Amino acid sequence: MAEEPMTRFPVPDLEDMPADVRERIEAETERSGFTPNVFTAFAYRPGQFRAFFDYYDALVEESPLAREELEMVVVAVSGANDCLYCVVAHGALLRIYADDPHLAEQLATNHRTANISDAHRAMCDVAVKLTEDPAAVGESDIERLRDHGFSMEEIWDIGSTAALFNLSNRMAHFADMRPNEEFYELGR
Amino acid sequence: MAEEPMTRFPVPDLEDMPADVRERIEAETERSGFTPNVFTAFAYRPGQFRAFFDYYDALVEESPLAREELEMVVVAVSGANDCLYCVVAHGALLRIYADDPHLAEQLATNHRTANISDAHRAMCDVAVKLTEDPAAVGESDIERLRDHGFSMEEIWDIGSTAALFNLSNRMAHFADMRPNEEFYELGR
Amino acid sequence: MAEEPMTRFPVPDLEDMPADVRERIEAETERSGFTPNVFTAFAYRPGQFRAFFDYYDALVEESPLAREELEMVVVAVSGANDCLYCVVAHGALLRIYADDPHLAEQLATNHRTANISDAHRAMCDVAVKLTEDPAAVGESDIERLRDHGFSMEEIWDIGSTAALFNLSNRMAHFADMRPNEEFYELGR
Amino acid sequence: MAEEPMTRFPVPDLEDMPADVRERIEAETERSGFTPNVFTAFAYRPGQFRAFFDYYDALVEESPLAREELEMVVVAVSGANDCLYCVVAHGALLRIYADDPHLAEQLATNHRTANISDAHRAMCDVAVKLTEDPAAVGESDIERLRDHGFSMEEIWDIGSTAALFNLSNRMAHFADMRPNEEFYELGR
Amino acid sequence: MAEEPMTRFPVPDLEDMPADVRERIEAETERSGFTPNVFTAFAYRPGQFRAFFDYYDALVEESPLAREELEMVVVAVSGANDCLYCVVAHGALLRIYADDPHLAEQLATNHRTANISDAHRAMCDVAVKLTEDPAAVGESDIERLRDHGFSMEEIWDIGSTAALFNLSNRMAHFADMRPNEEFYELGR
Amino acid sequence: MAEEPMTRFPVPDLEDMPADVRERIEAETERSGFTPNVFTAFAYRPGQFRAFFDYYDALVEESPLAREELEMVVVAVSGANDCLYCVVAHGALLRIYADDPHLAEQLATNHRTANISDAHRAMCDVAVKLTEDPAAVGESDIERLRDHGFSMEEIWDIGSTAALFNLSNRMAHFADMRPNEEFYELGR
């Protein structure tokens, strides 16, 4: 039995949504084979829906970071924030993009014990520090990423991906968004 | 002497920005009399610039919450995150929209000792809880806001404003965005 | 390629272990089809090996709690402690004993958003509180469990299972114990 | 007037205990001149009683660490966990084994200001770090102990003693175990 | 409309105060043009009033630190403790003594992003560390201040000013002391 | 061998102290039979010496709280702050004034498991809350103390004693003040 997209706010019907929101959801549904619940939930507030997914798209489509790297940051941050929706949904994406069935569970539980390169360890360290103690992030964190070969645009995008999911994790907690059952199995 | 918009990433020149980003900045500059540094800083990544300001606009333009209420949430959250840029810049906006020269300093220091109504105290309590301990937010927090008369859309927007500034505060910390000197004086 | 049982201490060879330890490991290997790395790792100190597994057996074999309930406590506690080994290994056991492929990921990420009964929510709340803030556990926590129908022996065993995995999680962190790859797939 | 062994669970009678548990308690009583309350309390669940004391015995009897060193770890960890039973009972043991009437109070209050060698300071630092932030313990902590001359078996036992008392402190908090009055005076 | 000095304890009348307390308050009122609420509030307990202001005077009158430096420590500490009274009242003093209208808001929000010298950054780092994690302050903190050229008496006074406002911030929170409206505007 | 009063600042000689400071120390030495190290340490800055001891005297001499109650607050707060000097020195005073050899160790380790009345439990709860999370103290904490029969002056003095030892504990940490050996034995 499918889970409701969220439990704390009214779940909008597809037919009541603005055309562009509905089309975006239909495209996503066609691509995925199901409608990820975060789309339905965010459609409760269409203006915020558009901006939220545009931000994510700006990262996915324009970042010099590999998609796999973006999803590593997402899963590490979402694990640090104890966010079930994002751990399960983006865990699935990470399994697919990294072609690794175990990496998501490692990063969500404790990025420090994940089987990743030193550069990716630094990337996740900084993303999680920006999540847990943002005022403590300083010049030395930027330098550490540079020392691992990340460009300035890549470094901005590591921070920006972490920041976006500090928004996303909080909306998932606030609305009690529920992961679609399909996500649990994808990419195993 | 004006502060640089940010110290850790290259500051883009207006003439190198995409036309729509430049136009948005020019409009903001005309309205404010100066260019808020967050605009220049975010223009480093134009796709993220567009999405970030669209999200903020979606709140400001479409929320049933008063602008003053949105800025109260912003300042309380930014104070909890120790974010100088957002405390100073949105503190100025709050002084103007609330027509109160002291409220911003109260909310940024400790929203619990601010001179605000019980409903606004509940609003800020939930926004700060979502900031500091997001996984602990639960049904009872939503109910508390309902009991104070907030509609479901208003409640979503309280959470969403808090979530957006958990993104924004982190980007300001990450890039070391510096508040324009003009903000310190506005609305006193 | 199989992971080493642990990275920070010498991994003992089966042939060098005391006979009873070796026999225990061989029995476990026959039952599971592989040797769980915690057995090999703990065999570095045979006296502690015996006591540690005797404690776990005393819970599994003598507790009035269902095995599924014990493993729920283990996974919730190990998630709170960010322990990869125990989340992965006992997550597999929980999928099997609860006959539920999703429950482990839910409990490890955030026991508060898991699909569990109110009684099991109370059980996990108390186990996680005993993990994160042990000095704050009080009479009211015991009463809450009684109100959900747990017997005094069951309540002791909830606390004792949580306490044992506060030992176990720390040894896994200290020795950097690595989960066997087989665990990731079991019970999906 | 003697304190009850614990306030939250039924205190078992000696005559109702399994023979081996009763004998163990009688031996301890003969040696100490009184029955330490942790023995009576743990006898509520005999299988766990046997495993718990076997683990402690495995450390006391088989560790290359001096008994005094084991008890230093116990007191520092129990102080960090605010556990009255273990601070008082093992504080007495530490006064006796270290032949020092002040060391227990120093370690329980703040191991960093105790009058101990640099090697023992490192030992207690790592034990307390494993107590308070177990996921942060890493290779550098092991190396620091090696640099102070501890063998690999000794290092394991430092971690294992800390881990065992993270179990023990939690059971004492959970059951509200009360220290025998005799412990307060021993070794002064 | 003036705020009451405090909301949780009876506010003493000037005429009921001991002569020396009244005279001290009248002198302060003459100098400031208004009676700072902390004077009226502390007069509830005259013996403590005398000692508290004597401590502050001993710093202001006898310290080799500049008054501006003392107030920098006060504002950074009071910001870390979220104390509205002290942030607002001593923020005003800092604006005046440092002849800088922005420094107080910077230090209260986040001393790490304030426009201050490296020596003053070290001074505030140590003061805030002594506030937030006093048991972690160690020899290296003293050395860092020496390396920046502070004398031993200056270092003591940095610690002592921080310590005094850990008293003062707590009394302001406890009694709910309210800043006079005049403070908000002074020194802008 | 006696411990030095403090390790991080020059220890002043009695003959170099101002006459009133020296006389105060000599009186204390005559009463106690030894010179408590906090007196010698604070004499490094005579103006602060006078104010600090005047504050303590104002509590001891003028408070409607019993001396035993004041020392209970001191020990609970100093335990929460992990301050060795104050736990040992005021632990001795508490043993004497409460005529109870065990109470100090109980309160320093965990005031929640001390053998005290419900009123004293509330007193220590509020004092420790004001120590650990001062911004969270609110009207309900004052009311709880009133409900236990404390007068408004007594409540102020509970808060004020806690606040003073948040100063004192920090100075003891900062200067590394060492407890006199005599304190460990007093009142056993």
Side-chain angles (χ1 to χ4, degrees):
Chain A
M1 189 197 67
E3 291 227 44
E4 280 294 282
M6 60 181 170
T7 70
R8 300 204 185 114
F9 292 90
V11 177
D13 286 330
L14 198 61
E15 53 264 38
D16 299 334
M17 297 177 190
D20 66 312
V21 170
R22 194 172 59 238
E23 282 159 23
R24 172 79 199 254
I25 289 182
E26 288 168 346
E28 189 69 30
T29 304
E30 193 163 310
R31 180 166 48 215
S32 301
F34 63 95
T35 308
N37 284 335
V38 67
F39 283 84
T40 312
F42 251 106
Y44 180 59
R45 302 290 285 143
Q48 297 172 38
F49 174 104
R50 292 180 193 106
F52 174 72
F53 290 107
D54 284 352
Y55 203 116
Y56 183 59
D57 289 349
L59 287 162
V60 166
E61 294 167 10
E62 299 168 15
S63 180
L65 292 168
R67 178 67 183 271
E68 161 190 355
E69 291 173 310
L70 293 172
E71 298 298 340
M72 289 172 69
V73 170
V74 172
V75 173
V77 164
S78 301
N81 278 331
D82 296 342
C83 178
L84 182 65
Y85 185 87
C86 299
V87 161
V88 171
H90 288 273
L93 295 180
L94 179 55
R95 285 192 294 271
I96 293 168
Y97 286 105
D99 193 20
D100 181 331
H102 303 163
L103 185 55
E105 201 157 352
Q106 292 170 4
L107 282 171
T109 305
N110 183 352
H111 76 275
R112 289 177 280 203
T113 47
N115 287 333
I116 52 178
S117 69
D118 287 351
H120 288 155
R121 166 71 193 266
M123 177 181 79
C124 291
D125 274 351
V126 173
V128 170
K129 183 177 179 182
L130 188 62
T131 297
E132 295 184 336
D133 195 4
V137 171
E139 187 58 33
S140 63
D141 296 295
I142 307 294
E143 280 165 22
R144 183 176 170 206
L145 294 174
R146 286 188 69 82
D147 290 347
H148 280 289
F150 290 105
S151 71
M152 290 313 290
E153 288 199 350
E154 288 175 321
I155 294 172
W156 175 285
D157 288 357
I158 290 168
S160 197
T161 304
L164 179 62
F165 279 81
N166 271 284
L167 180 164
S168 178
N169 295 165
R170 280 175 176 78
M171 289 313 293
H173 279 305
F174 195 65
D176 191 31
M177 295 183 199
R178 314 296 309 170
N180 307 64
E181 304 224 326
E182 291 87 343
F183 280 126
Y184 288 92
E185 317 303 337
L186 284 173
R188 298 272 178 205
Chain B
M1 190 196 65
E3 291 227 45
E4 280 294 283
M6 60 180 169
T7 69
R8 301 206 184 112
F9 291 90
V11 177
D13 286 330
L14 198 62
E15 53 264 38
D16 299 334
M17 298 176 189
D20 66 312
V21 169
R22 194 172 58 236
E23 282 159 24
R24 173 77 199 254
I25 289 182
E26 287 167 346
E28 188 70 29
T29 304
E30 192 163 311
R31 179 164 50 213
S32 302
F34 62 95
T35 309
N37 284 335
V38 67
F39 283 83
T40 312
F42 251 106
Y44 180 58
R45 303 290 286 141
Q48 298 172 37
F49 174 104
R50 293 180 192 107
F52 175 72
F53 291 107
D54 284 352
Y55 204 115
Y56 183 58
D57 290 348
L59 288 162
V60 167
E61 294 167 11
E62 299 167 15
S63 180
L65 291 168
R67 178 68 182 270
E68 161 190 356
E69 292 173 309
L70 293 172
E71 299 299 339
M72 289 172 70
V73 170
V74 173
V75 173
V77 164
S78 302
N81 278 331
D82 297 342
C83 177
L84 181 66
Y85 185 88
C86 299
V87 161
V88 171
H90 288 272
L93 296 180
L94 179 55
R95 285 192 294 271
I96 291 168
Y97 285 106
D99 194 19
D100 181 332
H102 303 164
L103 186 54
E105 201 157 352
Q106 292 170 4
L107 282 171
T109 305
N110 183 352
H111 76 275
R112 289 177 281 204
T113 48
N115 287 334
I116 52 178
S117 69
D118 287 350
H120 288 155
R121 167 70 194 266
M123 177 182 79
C124 292
D125 274 351
V126 173
V128 169
K129 184 177 179 181
L130 189 61
T131 297
E132 296 185 335
D133 194 4
V137 171
E139 187 58 33
S140 64
D141 297 294
I142 306 294
E143 279 165 22
R144 183 175 170 208
L145 293 173
R146 285 188 69 84
D147 290 347
H148 280 288
F150 291 105
S151 71
M152 290 314 290
E153 288 199 350
E154 287 175 321
I155 294 172
W156 175 285
D157 288 357
I158 290 168
S160 197
T161 303
L164 179 62
F165 279 81
N166 271 284
L167 180 163
S168 179
N169 295 166
R170 280 174 175 79
M171 288 315 292
H173 279 305
F174 195 65
D176 191 32
M177 294 183 198
R178 313 296 310 170
N180 307 64
E181 304 223 328
E182 290 87 344
F183 280 126
Y184 287 93
E185 317 303 336
L186 285 173
R188 299 272 178 204
Chain C
M1 190 196 67
E3 292 228 45
E4 281 294 283
M6 60 180 168
T7 69
R8 301 206 184 112
F9 292 90
V11 177
D13 287 330
L14 199 61
E15 54 264 39
D16 298 334
M17 298 175 189
D20 66 313
V21 169
R22 195 172 58 237
E23 282 159 23
R24 173 76 200 256
I25 289 181
E26 287 168 345
E28 189 69 29
T29 303
E30 191 162 313
R31 179 164 49 213
S32 302
F34 61 94
T35 310
N37 283 336
V38 67
F39 283 84
T40 312
F42 250 106
Y44 180 59
R45 302 291 285 143
Q48 297 172 38
F49 174 104
R50 293 180 192 106
F52 175 73
F53 291 107
D54 284 353
Y55 203 115
Y56 183 59
D57 290 348
L59 287 162
V60 167
E61 293 166 12
E62 300 167 15
S63 180
L65 291 168
R67 177 68 183 269
E68 161 191 356
E69 291 173 310
L70 293 172
E71 299 298 340
M72 289 173 69
V73 170
V74 173
V75 172
V77 164
S78 301
N81 278 331
D82 297 341
C83 178
L84 181 66
Y85 185 87
C86 299
V87 162
V88 171
H90 288 273
L93 296 179
L94 179 55
R95 286 192 294 271
I96 292 167
Y97 285 105
D99 193 20
D100 181 332
H102 303 165
L103 186 55
E105 202 157 350
Q106 292 170 4
L107 282 171
T109 304
N110 183 352
H111 77 275
R112 289 178 280 203
T113 47
N115 287 332
I116 53 178
S117 69
D118 287 350
H120 287 155
R121 166 70 194 266
M123 176 181 80
C124 291
D125 275 351
V126 173
V128 169
K129 183 176 179 182
L130 189 61
T131 297
E132 296 185 336
D133 195 4
V137 171
E139 187 57 32
S140 64
D141 297 293
I142 306 294
E143 279 164 23
R144 183 174 169 209
L145 293 174
R146 285 189 68 84
D147 290 346
H148 280 289
F150 291 105
S151 71
M152 290 314 290
E153 288 200 349
E154 288 175 320
I155 294 172
W156 175 285
D157 288 357
I158 290 168
S160 197
T161 303
L164 179 61
F165 279 81
N166 271 284
L167 180 163
S168 179
N169 295 166
R170 280 174 175 78
M171 288 314 292
H173 279 305
F174 194 65
D176 191 31
M177 295 183 198
R178 313 296 311 171
N180 307 64
E181 303 223 328
E182 290 87 344
F183 280 126
Y184 287 92
E185 316 303 337
L186 284 173
R188 298 274 177 202
Chain D
M1 188 197 66
E3 291 227 45
E4 279 295 282
M6 59 181 170
T7 69
R8 299 204 186 114
F9 292 90
V11 177
D13 286 330
L14 200 60
E15 53 265 36
D16 299 334
M17 297 176 191
D20 66 312
V21 169
R22 193 170 61 236
E23 283 160 22
R24 173 78 199 255
I25 290 182
E26 288 167 347
E28 189 68 30
T29 304
E30 192 163 312
R31 179 165 49 213
S32 302
F34 63 95
T35 308
N37 283 335
V38 67
F39 283 84
T40 312
F42 251 106
Y44 180 59
R45 303 289 286 142
Q48 298 172 37
F49 174 104
R50 293 180 192 107
F52 175 72
F53 291 107
D54 284 352
Y55 204 115
Y56 183 59
D57 290 349
L59 287 162
V60 166
E61 294 167 11
E62 299 167 16
S63 179
L65 291 168
R67 177 66 182 271
E68 162 191 355
E69 291 173 310
L70 293 172
E71 298 297 341
M72 289 171 70
V73 170
V74 173
V75 172
V77 164
S78 301
N81 278 331
D82 297 342
C83 178
L84 181 66
Y85 185 87
C86 299
V87 161
V88 171
H90 289 272
L93 296 179
L94 179 56
R95 286 191 295 270
I96 292 167
Y97 285 105
D99 193 20
D100 181 332
H102 303 163
L103 185 55
E105 201 156 352
Q106 293 170 4
L107 282 171
T109 304
N110 183 352
H111 77 276
R112 290 178 279 203
T113 46
N115 287 333
I116 52 178
S117 69
D118 287 349
H120 288 155
R121 167 70 194 266
M123 177 181 79
C124 291
D125 275 349
V126 173
V128 169
K129 184 177 179 182
L130 188 62
T131 297
E132 295 184 337
D133 195 4
V137 171
E139 187 58 32
S140 63
D141 297 296
I142 306 293
E143 278 165 24
R144 183 175 170 208
L145 294 173
R146 284 189 67 85
D147 290 345
H148 279 289
F150 290 105
S151 71
M152 291 313 291
E153 287 199 350
E154 288 175 320
I155 294 172
W156 175 286
D157 288 358
I158 291 168
S160 197
T161 304
L164 179 63
F165 280 80
N166 271 285
L167 180 162
S168 178
N169 294 166
R170 281 174 175 78
M171 288 314 292
H173 279 304
F174 194 66
D176 190 32
M177 295 184 197
R178 314 296 308 170
N180 307 65
E181 304 223 328
E182 290 87 343
F183 280 125
Y184 288 93
E185 317 303 337
L186 284 173
R188 299 273 178 203
Chain E
M1 188 197 67
E3 292 227 46
E4 279 294 282
M6 60 181 170
T7 69
R8 301 205 184 112
F9 292 89
V11 176
D13 286 330
L14 199 61
E15 52 265 39
D16 298 334
M17 298 176 190
D20 66 313
V21 169
R22 194 172 59 238
E23 284 160 21
R24 173 77 200 254
I25 289 182
E26 288 168 345
E28 188 69 30
T29 304
E30 191 163 312
R31 179 165 48 213
S32 302
F34 62 95
T35 309
N37 283 335
V38 67
F39 283 83
T40 313
F42 252 105
Y44 180 60
R45 301 291 285 142
Q48 297 172 37
F49 174 104
R50 293 179 191 106
F52 174 73
F53 291 107
D54 284 352
Y55 204 114
Y56 182 59
D57 291 348
L59 287 162
V60 166
E61 295 167 9
E62 300 167 15
S63 180
L65 291 168
R67 178 66 183 272
E68 162 191 354
E69 292 173 309
L70 293 172
E71 298 298 340
M72 288 172 70
V73 170
V74 172
V75 172
V77 164
S78 301
N81 278 332
D82 297 341
C83 177
L84 182 65
Y85 185 87
C86 299
V87 161
V88 171
H90 288 273
L93 296 179
L94 179 56
R95 285 192 294 272
I96 292 167
Y97 286 105
D99 193 20
D100 181 331
H102 303 165
L103 186 55
E105 202 157 350
Q106 292 170 6
L107 282 171
T109 305
N110 183 352
H111 76 276
R112 289 178 281 202
T113 47
N115 287 332
I116 52 178
S117 69
D118 287 351
H120 289 155
R121 167 71 193 266
M123 176 181 79
C124 291
D125 275 350
V126 173
V128 170
K129 183 176 180 182
L130 188 62
T131 297
E132 296 184 336
D133 195 4
V137 171
E139 186 59 32
S140 63
D141 296 295
I142 306 294
E143 279 165 23
R144 182 175 170 208
L145 294 173
R146 285 188 68 84
D147 290 346
H148 280 289
F150 290 106
S151 70
M152 290 314 291
E153 288 199 349
E154 288 175 321
I155 294 172
W156 175 285
D157 287 358
I158 291 168
S160 196
T161 304
L164 178 62
F165 279 81
N166 271 285
L167 180 162
S168 178
N169 295 165
R170 280 174 175 79
M171 288 314 292
H173 278 305
F174 195 65
D176 191 32
M177 295 183 197
R178 313 296 310 170
N180 307 64
E181 304 223 328
E182 291 86 345
F183 281 126
Y184 288 93
E185 318 303 337
L186 284 173
R188 298 273 177 203
Chain F
M1 190 196 66
E3 292 227 45
E4 280 295 282
M6 60 181 168
T7 70
R8 300 206 185 112
F9 292 91
V11 177
D13 285 330
L14 199 60
E15 53 264 38
D16 299 334
M17 298 176 189
D20 66 312
V21 170
R22 194 171 59 238
E23 282 160 23
R24 173 78 199 253
I25 289 182
E26 287 168 346
E28 189 69 30
T29 304
E30 191 163 313
R31 179 165 49 212
S32 302
F34 61 97
T35 309
N37 284 335
V38 67
F39 283 84
T40 313
F42 252 106
Y44 179 60
R45 302 291 284 142
Q48 298 173 37
F49 174 104
R50 293 179 192 106
F52 174 73
F53 291 107
D54 283 353
Y55 204 115
Y56 183 59
D57 290 348
L59 288 162
V60 166
E61 294 167 10
E62 300 167 16
S63 180
L65 291 168
R67 178 67 183 270
E68 160 192 354
E69 292 173 309
L70 293 172
E71 299 297 340
M72 289 172 69
V73 170
V74 173
V75 172
V77 165
S78 301
N81 278 331
D82 297 341
C83 178
L84 182 66
Y85 185 88
C86 299
V87 161
V88 171
H90 289 272
L93 295 179
L94 179 54
R95 285 191 295 271
I96 292 168
Y97 285 105
D99 194 21
D100 181 332
H102 303 165
L103 186 54
E105 201 157 352
Q106 292 170 4
L107 282 171
T109 305
N110 183 352
H111 76 276
R112 290 178 279 204
T113 47
N115 287 333
I116 53 179
S117 69
D118 287 350
H120 288 155
R121 167 70 193 266
M123 176 182 78
C124 292
D125 275 350
V126 173
V128 169
K129 184 177 180 182
L130 188 61
T131 297
E132 296 185 335
D133 194 5
V137 171
E139 187 58 32
S140 63
D141 296 294
I142 306 294
E143 278 165 24
R144 183 175 170 208
L145 294 173
R146 284 189 69 83
D147 289 346
H148 280 289
F150 290 105
S151 71
M152 289 314 290
E153 288 200 349
E154 288 175 321
I155 294 172
W156 175 285
D157 288 358
I158 290 168
S160 197
T161 304
L164 179 62
F165 279 80
N166 272 284
L167 181 163
S168 178
N169 295 166
R170 281 174 175 78
M171 288 315 292
H173 279 304
F174 194 66
D176 191 32
M177 295 184 197
R178 314 296 310 170
N180 307 65
E181 304 223 328
E182 290 87 344
F183 280 126
Y184 288 93
E185 317 303 337
L186 285 172
R188 299 274 177 201

